[in-house]
Amino acid sequence: MIRFGVLASGGGSNFQALADGLRGDSNAKLSVVVCNVPGAKVIDRASAAGVPSVVLDHKTFTSREAFDEKLVATLKEHGVEWVCLAGYMRLVTPIFLRAFPGRVINIHPALLPAFPGMHGVRQAINAGVKIAGCTIHFVDEGMDTGPIIAQAAVPVLPGDDESKLGARIQIEEHRLYVKVVKDIAAGRLSLEGRKVSLRDAL
Ligand code: GAR
């Protein structure tokens, strides 16, 4: 059984997908949600799903490093082995990455390496691309960089705006995040150097 921690800053629909999708999975458990934004909807979702949550307001810390030290301590207290960033809108420091080497993943609403950063969906609309999507990747010190694990594509349709396209992408995000976490929990997926290793189901 692998214990996963989720980091989130907002609505938490990806957390919800993981909580629903992993219910009853004998390989994976969501041990804690850590949220850096007091009052975010993900906190209510966690309590409804029976997953402990901790709010760490980054504004009350003097530095990124001090925040990440507390974050690591909180995750370790809950026995976390792997970390899923799910709408976590902060860059992580080496302190955090060294605590979970090769065991931190992120979901991003664009087909990386295109459109990293805060507004992946808006950037896709503004660029006029015809195919958009989402990416799950291992986290390194960059912004939405790091080895790519999985991607899903959706069409950009006439009349799309950020909200319509974002909703279409999120359907794929929810499906893909559950699949990737199940692969990790089953021991099929890992990071070897900078390469993602995905073994077939036994
Ligand atoms: C998701 O679409 C995720 O891909 C995005 O934030 C959203 C959070 O939604 N993450 C990023 O843009 C990271 N750069 P949620 O709170 O409903 O899961």
Side-chain angles (χ1 to χ4, degrees):
M1 167 80 79
I2 293 187
R3 290 183 293 268
F4 290 84
V6 175
L7 305 189
S9 305
S13 70
N14 278 285
F15 161 76
Q16 187 74 59
L18 290 172
D20 294 343
L22 297 175
R23 194 164 293 126
D25 189 305
S26 56
N27 296 321
K29 176 182 164 65
L30 295 185
S31 291
V32 67
V33 179
V34 181
C35 177
N36 66 308
V37 179
K41 187 173 170 192
V42 68
I43 301 162
D44 293 337
R45 289 190 192 262
S47 81
V51 176
S53 66
V54 176
V55 176
L56 294 181
D57 182 354
H58 61 273
K59 294 196 188 113
T60 64
F61 289 79
T62 51
S63 68
R64 258 177 205 284
E65 286 71 23
F67 178 82
D68 272 8
E69 272 167 19
K70 180 69 181 171
L71 181 58
V72 168
T74 304
L75 293 166
K76 297 276 182 191
E77 273 163 28
H78 287 83
V80 168
E81 297 158 286
W82 279 74
V83 184
C84 302
L85 311 193
Y88 181 64
M89 296 306 190
R90 280 179 72 76
L91 276 177
V92 296
T93 67
I95 290 171
F96 176 76
L97 292 173
R98 275 198 298 268
F100 299 97
R103 287 181 277 119
V104 183
I105 61 175
N106 178 44
I107 189 154
H108 182 72
L111 294 172
L112 293 171
F115 314 133
M118 288 282 283
H119 302 292
V121 181
R122 190 183 307 170
Q123 292 180 65
I125 293 272
N126 290 342
V129 295
K130 302 303 174 208
I131 302 282
C134 60
T135 303
I136 297 174
H137 62 95
F138 280 99
V139 174
D140 63 13
E141 284 164 43
M143 163 111 68
D144 299 321
T145 52
I148 290 173
I149 298 169
Q151 294 183 305
V154 302
V156 183
L157 300 176
D160 267 358
D161 55 16
E162 188 177 353
S163 136
K164 284 184 192 158
L165 179 58
R168 195 174 307 122
I169 290 172
Q170 281 218 324
I171 292 169
E172 295 303 314
E173 289 194 335
H174 300 159
R175 184 187 60 73
L176 201 61
Y177 223 172
V178 172
K179 180 192 180 304
V180 165
V181 168
K182 281 182 180 247
D183 280 340
I184 290 168
R188 288 193 287 270
L189 203 161
S190 61
L191 184 63
E192 287 163 20
R194 293 279 301 172
K195 282 231 163 11
V196 175
S197 159
L198 180 59
R199 289 169 290 281
D200 289 338
L202 294 174

